[in-house]
């Protein structure tokens, strides 16, 4: 025991004044941790600020894109409203495309959250609708050009038809005039009309009161335009008293739509050459005075003369 105690007392302990204060390791760790927290907070604040700025920028960009798309769709609708065509098929297609455009505009306006993907989809659909509308515009322009061309051709044809009708009318008028001239030219004429008083033995007498009947002499003038053949020649003799001399009440013929009385008639064979004709009146009432003699053939008055019998 003694030895043990002595050995404890004999133990040499070296004293170092610097060993009186030693900083603890946990304090350094806490300090470093605080620094790290501050740094991370600053970084987080910066990142948050950048995020909010980016979000705000995106919202602003989306708002601009929404307005742009809205304006483009509104313009497209106005263009559809301005398109007019008389083609029923194209009009129906235009109405369908306009309904699609209006539906897309309403969808865009009701869209709460836009994204770049949605914006691209809207732009793609809008581009397709624009292409479709431009196609219809080309079709309508083509139809308008065709219509204008057809209208121009129609006007030209109408003018040509009008000109042709005018020429046809003029030709018909000239033909009618020519036909009228031919008809007039084909009428047989009478010349050298004479009235003679005859006795019962057919000898000419100088006094009308001695006459038994009257003879009308004339020449049917040759006319190449007339149709040859047999014809009835009618003679009207108006006596000094102003009445037509007639043998019977039924001695009438058609002249210009009226049935008029004749004094004598005869059938002749006309062959387009001068033909001397004599027609006899065998009725009563022969007196001295001025007589009017008129010759008719084919419904035409072909000659007349005034003759005085003593």
């Amino acid at each position: 025991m003694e030895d043990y105690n002595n050995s404890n007392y004999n133990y040499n302990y070296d004293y170092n004044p610097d060993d009186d204060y030693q900083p603890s390791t946990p304090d350094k760790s806490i300090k470093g941790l605080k620094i790290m927290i501050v740094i991370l907070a600053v970084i987080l604040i910066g990142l948050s600020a950048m995020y909010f700025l980016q979000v705000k920028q995106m919202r602003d960009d989306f708002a601009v894109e929404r307005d742009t798309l809205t304006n483009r769709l509104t313009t497209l609708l106005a263009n559809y409203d301005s398109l007019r065509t008389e083609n029923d098929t194209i009009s129906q297609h235009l109405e369908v495309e306009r309904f699609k455009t209006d539906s897309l505009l309403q969808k865009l306006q009701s869209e709460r959250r836009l994204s770049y993907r949605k914006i691209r989809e809207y732009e793609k659909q809008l581009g397709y609708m624009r292409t479709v509308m431009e196609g219809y515009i080309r079709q309508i322009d083509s139809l308008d050009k065709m219509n204008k061309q057809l209208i121009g051709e129609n006007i030209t044809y109408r003018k040509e038809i009008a000109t042709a009708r005018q020429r046809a009318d003029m030709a018909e008028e000239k033909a009618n005039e020519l036909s009228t001239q031919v008809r007039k030219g084909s009428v047989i004429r009478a010349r050298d009309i004479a009235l003679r008083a005859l006795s019962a033995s057919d000898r000419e007498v100088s006094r009308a009161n001695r006459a038994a009947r009257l003879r009308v002499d004339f020449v049917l003038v040759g006319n190449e335009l007339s149709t040859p053949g047999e014809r009835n020649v009618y003679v009207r003799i108006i006596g000094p008293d102003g009445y037509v001399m007639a043998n019977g009440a039924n001695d009438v013929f058609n002249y210009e739509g009226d049935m008029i009385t004749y004094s004598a008639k005869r059938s002749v064979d006309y062959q387009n050459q001068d033909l001397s004709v004599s027609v006899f009146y065998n009725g009563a009432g022969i007196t001295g005075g001025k007589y009017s003699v008129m010759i008719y053939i084919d419904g035409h008055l072909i000659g007349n003369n005034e003759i005085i019998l003593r």
Side-chain angles (χ1 to χ4, degrees):
M1 281 300 289
E2 186 179 358
D3 290 336
Y4 174 76
N5 292 331
N6 289 333
S7 60
N8 287 336
Y9 285 116
N10 290 330
Y11 177 77
N12 293 326
Y13 179 76
D14 294 331
Y15 175 75
N16 188 353
D18 293 332
D19 293 337
D20 292 339
Y21 176 78
Q22 294 290 335
S24 64
T25 301
D27 292 338
K28 292 182 179 179
S29 298
I30 291 172
K31 184 177 181 180
L33 183 59
K34 289 180 178 179
I35 293 172
M36 288 298 295
I37 290 173
V38 172
I39 293 172
L40 290 174
V42 172
I43 293 174
L44 182 60
I45 292 171
L47 290 175
S48 298
M50 291 178 60
Y51 172 76
F52 284 114
L53 288 174
Q54 289 179 356
V55 170
K56 183 178 182 301
Q57 184 63 41
M58 289 176 61
R59 288 179 178 175
D60 293 340
D61 293 342
F62 290 157
V64 172
E65 291 291 341
R66 185 194 297 271
D67 292 340
T68 301
L69 289 171
T70 299
N71 291 333
R72 292 174 64 186
L73 286 170
T74 303
T75 302
L76 189 61
L77 282 174
N79 291 336
Y80 273 120
D81 290 337
S82 65
L83 291 178
R84 294 290 183 273
T85 178
E86 295 181 357
N87 188 286
D88 294 336
T89 302
I90 295 180
S91 295
Q92 292 176 0
H93 289 317
L94 288 175
E95 189 64 27
V96 171
E97 294 301 325
R98 189 194 181 285
F99 177 77
K100 291 180 180 179
T101 304
D102 186 61
S103 298
L104 186 63
L105 177 60
Q106 293 181 8
K107 181 180 178 182
L108 174 64
Q109 291 174 343
S110 62
E111 193 79 56
R112 292 185 177 182
R113 292 184 180 181
L114 280 176
S115 64
Y116 287 113
R117 181 181 61 83
K118 290 183 179 180
I119 290 174
R120 297 297 171 261
E121 289 179 357
Y122 279 113
E123 289 179 342
K124 183 178 179 180
Q125 293 183 56
L126 180 59
Y128 173 77
M129 291 177 176
R130 184 70 186 179
T131 301
V132 171
M133 187 191 71
E134 290 174 352
Y136 285 124
I137 290 175
R138 286 192 293 270
Q139 291 185 44
I140 293 173
D141 289 341
S142 178
L143 289 175
D144 288 342
K145 290 180 181 178
M146 292 178 61
N147 288 335
K148 289 179 181 178
Q149 182 179 358
L150 291 175
I151 290 173
E153 292 177 355
N154 190 22
I155 293 174
T156 301
Y157 291 149
R158 286 182 178 179
K159 289 181 178 179
E160 292 177 355
I161 291 172
T163 302
R165 286 179 177 175
Q166 185 177 4
R167 291 176 179 175
D169 291 341
M170 292 177 62
E172 184 178 0
E173 184 178 353
K174 290 181 179 179
N176 291 334
E177 290 178 358
L178 180 61
S179 177
T180 301
Q181 292 176 359
V182 170
R183 287 197 302 271
K184 290 180 178 180
S186 66
V187 174
I188 302 171
R189 299 297 173 184
R191 61 178 172 84
D192 300 336
I193 300 172
L195 178 65
R196 293 178 173 85
L198 301 178
S199 64
S201 59
D202 285 338
R203 296 180 60 183
E204 291 188 23
V205 293
S206 58
R207 298 288 179 178
N209 56 6
R210 297 170 54 188
R213 61 178 181 169
L214 298 175
R215 187 183 73 200
V216 179
D217 297 326
F218 55 91
V219 176
L220 295 178
V221 180
N223 189 342
E224 294 294 333
L225 297 178
S226 298
T227 302
E230 289 190 2
R231 285 176 170 79
N232 288 325
V233 180
Y234 297 92
V235 176
R236 276 166 57 93
I237 303 173
I238 299 177
D241 57 1
Y243 291 99
V244 178
M245 303 174 70
N247 292 312
N250 294 326
D251 294 343
V252 293
F253 70 102
N254 189 333
Y255 175 66
E256 295 183 352
D258 294 326
M259 301 304 294
I260 61 176
T261 304
Y262 64 85
S263 303
K265 78 171 184 177
R266 179 179 175 181
S267 178
V268 298
D269 184 14
Y270 180 77
Q271 296 297 325
N272 305 102
Q273 296 178 352
D274 286 0
L275 179 64
S276 297
V277 180
S278 295
V279 181
F280 296 89
Y281 169 70
N282 298 314
I286 302 173
T287 60
K290 184 170 68 174
Y291 289 80
S292 294
V293 179
M294 290 163 283
I295 313 298
Y296 297 85
I297 194 170
D298 295 336
H300 299 285
L301 174 63
I302 63 172
N304 61 81
N305 194 9
E306 291 184 348
I307 302 162
I308 297 177
L309 292 182
R310 297 181 179 178

